[in-house]
Amino acid sequence: MFAPRIWGFDRDDAEMRMARASGWSRADLVWERLTEAAHVAFSQGDLRRTGHLLLAAHWVARLWFDARDLRRANTLANRSLLARKRGDNVRAEVLQKRALSVWAGAVSAIDALEFRPRSRSSLFHLRMEALHRDQFQANMRTRYRRIAQETEQALKMLSAESPSDRPFFSRWRGEKPPVFDDSRKFLAAALALIDG
């Protein structure tokens, strides 16, 4: 049942309920699911389905997210990569430039992030995080700025003969936070790039 999983119409969708309880809109999780499904379709060689899913993600982002939302840059970048794969280099370059334009706001977006405490393996880690909240926030911002730089480099390479060979999407799967906060939205924007 692919459609209910993406759109969240299933009443038993626990992930959607958790996201909504954490302050996410339905569109936030729908966009993430569409992007992940597009990657799966791309990895299976189904470019047509990939295109449909990315177009749906594009419209979710366009209708529900702020113009400076970095997830819009992600969708543009993924569509650029798909256009290049299909041999439409002119379209790919136009989409790439738009993605880079939106991504230019990454540093200010990171400065505005508030990182929620993460679940740790012990009470000790939770206490340390609570006691050193400012340092935790500063460390996370530094880490996210590095990720933003890596993503920017990958976006610049979209029009190159061989786009970045870094496995961004695999990294997204590994680093996807268990909490529904703005840092998860940022990481999705930065790392949920189709591995071209």
Side-chain angles (χ1 to χ4, degrees):
M1 302 299 278
F2 184 68
R5 161 117 171 82
I6 288 178
W7 299 105
F9 292 139
D10 185 354
R11 292 183 193 272
D12 296 328
D13 189 343
E15 185 181 40
M16 183 64 80
R17 283 197 315 273
M18 282 189 342
R20 300 283 290 144
S22 297
W24 273 30
S25 70
R26 184 176 300 280
D28 290 326
L29 191 56
V30 166
W31 178 88
E32 186 178 285
R33 288 175 172 180
L34 286 166
T35 303
E36 289 177 344
H39 175 75
V40 170
F42 187 83
S43 67
Q44 294 170 345
D46 190 344
L47 300 185
R48 182 182 170 141
R49 183 160 176 71
T50 303
H52 290 305
L53 290 164
L54 289 177
L55 190 58
H58 168 81
W59 280 106
V60 167
R62 207 161 160 186
L63 292 171
W64 295 102
F65 302 161
D66 184 89
R68 295 171 308 240
D69 192 305
L70 299 177
R71 292 171 293 177
R72 290 177 83 164
N74 173 284
T75 302
L76 291 164
N78 281 333
R79 290 179 62 215
S80 173
L81 197 135
L82 180 62
R84 182 144 181 88
K85 183 81 169 175
R86 289 177 167 165
D88 189 350
N89 294 337
V90 173
R91 180 83 178 134
E93 194 170 319
V94 167
L95 290 166
Q96 175 204 23
K97 286 179 181 174
R98 288 174 51 200
L100 281 166
S101 174
V102 176
W103 196 258
V107 172
S108 60
I110 292 167
D111 290 342
L113 288 177
E114 182 179 342
F115 299 94
R116 291 189 187 164
R118 306 299 198 245
S119 308
R120 297 284 190 223
S121 58
S122 70
L123 189 55
F124 170 78
H125 286 108
L126 286 172
R127 283 186 187 145
M128 292 304 289
E129 194 172 298
L131 286 171
H132 304 285
R133 182 98 176 116
D134 292 340
Q135 187 61 48
F136 169 75
Q137 296 275 334
N139 290 345
M140 291 297 280
R141 282 185 215 302
T142 300
R143 181 171 172 269
Y144 278 38
R145 284 187 189 105
R146 273 191 241 119
I147 291 170
Q149 289 172 345
E150 291 174 33
T151 300
E152 183 177 7
Q153 290 305 312
L155 296 181
K156 287 178 179 176
M157 292 179 66
L158 285 175
S159 64
E161 275 302 310
S162 55
S164 176
D165 59 353
R166 289 185 176 177
F168 278 91
F169 194 83
S170 302
R171 189 170 165 196
W172 157 244
R173 290 291 204 171
E175 295 199 30
K176 183 176 175 179
V179 296
F180 295 95
D181 65 358
D182 288 342
S183 69
R184 178 168 167 158
K185 293 175 188 178
F186 169 80
L187 280 179
L191 299 177
L193 295 169
I194 289 176
D195 294 335

